[in-house]
Amino acid sequence: MERLTTRQKEVLEAIEEAVGEQGYVPTVRELCARLGVSSTCTVQKHLVTLERKGFLSRRSRKSRGVQLAFGRGFRRRRGPVVDVPIVGRVAAGLPIYGEENVEGYIPMTRELVGTEDVFLVRVKGDSMTGDGIFNNDLVVVRRQAEAENGEVVVAMVDGEVTVKRLYREDGRFRLESSNPAFEPIVLKSVEVLGKVALCIHRL
């Protein structure tokens, strides 16, 4: 990757600090406030340069459309670090964190994940691109069996783990993609493994 100027480093560090504190990227205006500048155009130019240099990617038409490159460290306060398991194929009847299911671990600060009861799932396919979740991204999932209507969940369908928005209607469950090219999945029952809390984008 290309080297950064002092100001570009400040912009990148401000984004990392926001993610470490809040768990999500700041808007351009929030970045301006953190950097103490009034011009959104100036910050936008720095974001374009950081994207060109490979430190982040941007999704147009989204207020929080900035995604840090995979592997960028978050600047954070001192605190405990959790080794979050990357869960692969989940076999029926086996615990989520069983050795048969875990591909590896990624250390993440407690400030970012909030709890130890989380896991990572690698996204397969393009069904959730409307929510900024792309093929091969990693999503941080808070383990829970229930979710509210419209929340993005990780669910078990026909022995496969899938990421979708969950809706309840007429006594059934609908797993909805955010990409209109994909049809919804309608089920009489669904096994929710957890709620998606954060997406880590890979460039």
Side-chain angles (χ1 to χ4, degrees):
M1 290 185 179
E2 294 183 47
R3 299 180 105 181
L4 299 180
T5 65
T6 299
R7 194 53 168 166
Q8 289 162 6
K9 287 180 182 178
E10 290 174 352
V11 173
L12 187 61
E13 288 171 356
I15 297 171
E16 291 171 347
E17 286 175 349
V19 173
E21 294 168 7
Q22 304 167 170
Y24 51 85
V25 296
T27 64
V28 172
R29 291 194 180 280
E30 289 168 349
L31 258 182
C32 287
R34 281 180 173 269
L35 294 165
V37 300
S38 58
S39 173
T40 57
C41 291
T42 299
V43 172
Q44 288 279 18
K45 287 178 181 178
H46 287 309
L47 293 177
V48 170
T49 303
L50 288 169
E51 181 179 31
R52 179 179 59 78
K53 291 184 176 182
F55 287 87
L56 53 80
S57 64
R58 296 183 308 140
R59 305 295 169 193
S60 60
R61 289 180 257 176
K62 288 185 178 291
S63 62
R64 301 187 190 275
V66 172
Q67 292 178 309
L68 291 168
F70 183 75
R72 286 296 305 170
F74 301 124
R75 294 187 65 200
R76 54 186 181 265
R77 304 183 190 95
R78 292 181 182 178
V81 172
V82 179
D83 285 327
V84 182
I86 304 173
V87 174
R89 185 184 180 92
V90 180
L94 292 177
I96 292 176
Y97 301 157
E99 290 183 10
E100 302 87 347
N101 301 327
V102 175
E103 297 178 354
Y105 295 84
I106 292 180
M108 303 183 80
T109 174
R110 180 74 64 81
E111 285 182 345
L112 188 61
V113 298
T115 173
E116 291 188 7
D117 203 11
V118 294
F119 59 96
L120 289 155
V121 168
R122 196 179 308 282
V123 176
K124 297 178 182 177
D126 300 313
S127 65
M128 297 300 289
T129 55
D131 286 303
I133 302 173
F134 294 82
N135 184 51
N136 210 36
D137 284 355
L138 287 168
V139 290
V140 178
V141 186
R142 300 195 192 287
R143 187 176 180 182
Q144 57 188 67
E146 298 290 334
E148 299 295 327
N149 263 7
E151 289 186 325
V152 180
V153 302
V154 170
M156 180 80 79
V157 177
D158 296 330
E160 295 287 339
V161 172
T162 186
V163 179
K164 296 288 186 290
R165 284 196 179 274
L166 175 69
Y167 295 93
R168 296 174 181 82
E169 51 186 19
D170 301 326
R172 297 196 173 197
F173 296 88
R174 175 165 52 90
L175 295 174
E176 186 82 34
S177 301
S178 60
N179 182 341
F182 291 79
E183 294 291 328
I185 302 170
V186 179
L187 303 165
K188 290 183 179 179
S189 63
V190 64
E191 181 183 357
V192 175
L193 301 180
K195 184 175 76 170
V196 173
L198 181 68
C199 177
I200 304 174
H201 182 65
R202 302 177 70 100
L203 290 178

